[in-house]
Structures are given as structure tokens and as C-alpha cells.
Amino acid sequence: MLKLDFEYRKGLLFVRLEGILNKETGIEFSNKIKELIYKYGIKYFVINLKDLLFMDEDGAEILKKSYYDMIVHDGKLIICNYQDTLYKDTIESRFDDCYKIRNELEAFRLINV
């Protein structure tokens, strides 16, 4: 099960993932991200992995595909709270061209909001 928590502040959409990101749960995540990009034109996504309990290869691939959707629509992806998780190597190898920060507060400084 994957719980998605969304919060929009100062032009940034914070997406907090809690639970398991895999092929089954990732479909909901992917559909929601696409909706936010297409329907609302969200440009800055901060994905918080602090409470993510498990992510398999399918989950990482879904996250990467969502990232490509953001790029196509001039969006930016910021990943935070991944440094001390099991996914550090996955994030650093697959998302070498996106912003990676320690916590959500750094996102405001990064985007200059």
C-alpha cells in the first residue's frame, strides 16, 4: 500500500510517499502526477522519500517515468530525504540530472521562492 500526501506551497508541490512503491502502487502515483502536470500545470515537484518503506525496480522505474513527464512539460523534480534510506544508490544512479536535497526546507532556497 502507498499513501500519497500532497501539499502545495509557494509554487512547489510536495509529494510525500509513505509505504511501498512498486508496480501495483506506482500506477496510482503515476496517474496522479500526470494529472497534476496536465490539468494544473504544476512545474516543481518535491518528492519526499522519508517514509517510503520499500521500493522495487518497478517502483524506481515508475518514479523515473514520472520524472520524464515532468521534463517534457518544463517541470523540475526535487528528491529529498533519501540520503539515509536503502534507496540512496538507486536515486543517485537513476536521477543524476535532478535536484537531490536533504529536506523539504532546502527546496524553497533551491527554487528561490
Side-chain angles (χ1 to χ4, degrees):
M1 186 161 133
L2 180 68
K3 180 181 174 192
L4 301 172
D5 178 38
F6 297 95
E7 181 180 355
Y8 189 73
R9 288 188 288 154
K10 297 184 180 181
L12 295 169
L13 180 69
F14 294 88
V15 182
R16 298 174 189 102
L17 305 180
E18 183 179 330
I20 297 169
L21 180 60
N22 58 21
K23 186 175 185 176
E24 181 182 322
T25 62
I27 293 169
E28 177 187 358
F29 169 78
S30 178
N31 290 340
K32 189 64 176 175
I33 293 297
K34 284 180 184 177
E35 176 187 349
L36 294 167
I37 292 170
Y38 295 114
K39 189 173 182 180
Y40 299 106
I42 303 289
K43 296 288 183 188
Y44 296 105
F45 292 83
V46 180
I47 307 291
N48 189 330
L49 302 181
K50 180 181 176 187
D51 295 322
L52 188 65
L53 300 175
F54 178 77
M55 176 173 61
D56 64 8
E57 284 295 316
D58 291 324
E61 193 58 34
I62 287 168
L63 192 60
K64 187 70 171 183
K65 286 179 183 176
S66 296
Y67 174 49
Y68 289 138
D69 287 336
M70 293 172 201
I71 290 173
V72 168
H73 291 88
D74 296 322
K76 302 285 185 216
L77 174 66
I78 303 165
I79 298 177
C80 72
N81 287 320
Y82 74 94
Q83 294 88 348
D84 299 325
T85 69
L86 299 172
Y87 316 109
K88 182 177 180 176
D89 292 338
T90 301
I91 297 300
E92 289 184 354
S93 65
R94 290 183 186 233
F95 298 90
D96 56 341
D97 52 347
C98 78
Y99 299 108
K100 295 179 275 292
I101 58 176
R102 287 194 129 333
N103 58 54
E104 292 181 357
L105 291 176
E106 289 182 24
F108 292 113
R109 281 177 276 185
L110 183 66
I111 303 301
N112 295 318
V113 182

